[in-house]
Amino acid sequence: MKRRTRLAFVVAVLAVAPVTAGCGSGKNAVTAQEQAAIDGSQASLGDLRIRDLYAAAPPVDSYAVGADIPIYLSVANIGTTDDALLSASSQLGTVELGGAGVFQIKTGELTSFKPGGSYLLLRGIKRDLRASSSIPLTLTFAQAGSIDVQAPIALPSQPPSPTPS
């Protein structure tokens, strides 16, 4: 009898599995509403991998004309030759390279431009920019050359990044 009960249980589970497998699917499923834990865009240029590129959240819904916007990113060098970030530019304002350290991108290392360290600062923006819009940038490296990227502006509900001075 014990074996028969166990067999009935297994058959019942197998019969119900296909019915419940579709639960939570569709447009309004919780999994369809999840967002990535890491904000920012990604790009590749030769042996460089640009990751987590984003602009700091505005104090309110948007940045006003003339505002300065910190921009952060990480760059991994998977090649055999060291590189360096020489400059960054944007049609929306002047981009300043600042913070601590030299902007070397060493082979086999991850170089981060982040709050409290090295950073890019878009100074004196030419138009209002809302949170979740993007900032077009051109990054120029000594060895890899130049690449056009988009830095999404973080939402104000996310922890604000400190503004470099």
Side-chain angles (χ1 to χ4, degrees):
M1 193 94 163
K2 199 175 195 181
R3 183 176 177 190
R4 183 181 257 173
T5 305
R6 206 175 316 150
L7 181 61
F9 176 74
V10 170
V11 169
V13 168
L14 292 175
V16 173
V19 175
T20 61
C23 291
S25 63
K27 286 184 188 178
N28 296 322
V30 171
T31 54
Q33 298 168 9
E34 290 179 3
Q35 295 182 4
I38 299 172
D39 293 327
S41 59
Q42 302 180 21
S44 294
L45 176 65
D47 291 331
L48 301 181
R49 302 299 178 259
I50 299 164
R51 300 290 182 256
D52 308 327
L53 172 63
Y54 72 98
V60 288
D61 291 339
S62 63
Y63 285 106
V65 171
D68 296 341
I69 306 174
I71 299 171
Y72 305 108
L73 68 146
S74 294
V75 182
N77 185 343
I78 62 169
T80 57
T81 305
D82 289 350
D83 209 330
L85 178 61
L86 299 177
S87 66
S89 60
S90 176
Q91 62 196 24
L92 297 177
T94 303
V95 181
E96 171 186 306
L97 299 176
V102 178
F103 302 106
Q104 294 294 319
I105 314 294
K106 295 193 177 285
T107 294
E109 292 185 11
L110 180 70
T111 302
S112 294
F113 299 82
K114 59 185 179 182
S118 300
Y119 61 91
L120 306 177
L121 184 64
L122 178 60
R123 290 204 172 268
I125 61 172
K126 297 177 181 178
R127 64 179 171 89
D128 292 349
L129 293 173
R130 296 191 59 77
S132 78
S133 63
S134 291
I135 297 170
L137 292 169
T138 300
L139 303 175
T140 302
F141 297 91
Q143 302 298 320
S146 296
I147 185 170
D148 293 326
V149 293
Q150 297 286 325
I153 300 173
L155 299 172
S157 61
Q158 297 171 342
S161 302
T163 303
S165 52

